[in-house]
């Protein structure tokens, strides 16, 4: 999948999830929640794509291992970033991590479903 399409798909899937979760759990205004979701994806997605491209020609086991580790790091980084952006008093660490895990799992699943052969 070309990068622009992958990034668009990520935003299409993750932004509604970030917005709903942050407004419901953190009582963050919808515009701020949407901006935070966009910002964390702009910070992590290009780096994730660059990192994973280094494993494109590797054995499948190496690709999947790199993918799993990279996604775990992305979830942690996004949780930290979104918490910092909306204010740590609004969003505790566990809901921040749960939100990042849910959003990233949904976009990974969407990507896998679209690229399944």
């Amino acid at each position: 999948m070309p990068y622009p399409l992958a990034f668009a798909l990520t935003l299409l899937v993750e932004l509604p999830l970030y917005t709903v979760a942050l407004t419901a759990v953190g009582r963050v205004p919808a515009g701020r929640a949407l901006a935070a979701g966009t910002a964390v994806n702009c910070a992590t997605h290009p780096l994730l794509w660059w990192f994973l491209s280094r494993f494109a020609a590797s054995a499948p086991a190496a690709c999947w291992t790199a993918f799993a580790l990279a996604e775990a790091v992305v979830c942690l980084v996004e949780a930290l970033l979104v918490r910092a952006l909306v204010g740590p008093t609004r969003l505790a660490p566990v809901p921040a991590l749960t939100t990042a895990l849910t959003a990233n799992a949904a976009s990974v699943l969407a990507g896998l479903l679209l690229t399944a052969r």
Side-chain angles (χ1 to χ4, degrees), residues 28-71:
V28 176
R32 188 171 180 183
L34 181 63
T38 303
V40 299
N41 275 287
C42 286
T44 60
H45 199 275
L47 294 172
L48 173 68
W49 194 266
W50 173 83
F51 175 76
L52 292 178
S53 71
R54 303 295 176 241
F55 293 89
S58 300
C63 287
W64 285 108
T65 301
F67 179 77
L69 291 173
E71 281 292 339

Side-chain angles (χ1 to χ4, degrees), residues 22-112:
L22 295 177
T23 55
V25 176
R27 293 189 171 84
V28 176
R32 188 171 180 183
L34 181 63
T38 303
V40 299
N41 275 287
C42 286
T44 60
H45 199 275
L47 294 172
L48 173 68
W49 194 266
W50 173 83
F51 175 76
L52 292 178
S53 71
R54 303 295 176 241
F55 293 89
S58 300
C63 287
W64 285 108
T65 301
F67 179 77
L69 291 173
E71 281 292 339
V73 169
V74 163
C75 288
L76 288 172
V77 169
E78 285 189 11
L80 292 169
L81 288 175
V82 78
R83 191 162 181 255
L85 290 169
V86 302
T89 58
R90 288 185 182 258
L91 191 63
V94 172
L97 184 58
T98 303
T99 300
L101 286 168
T102 302
N104 281 279
S107 65
V108 165
L109 179 60
L112 290 173

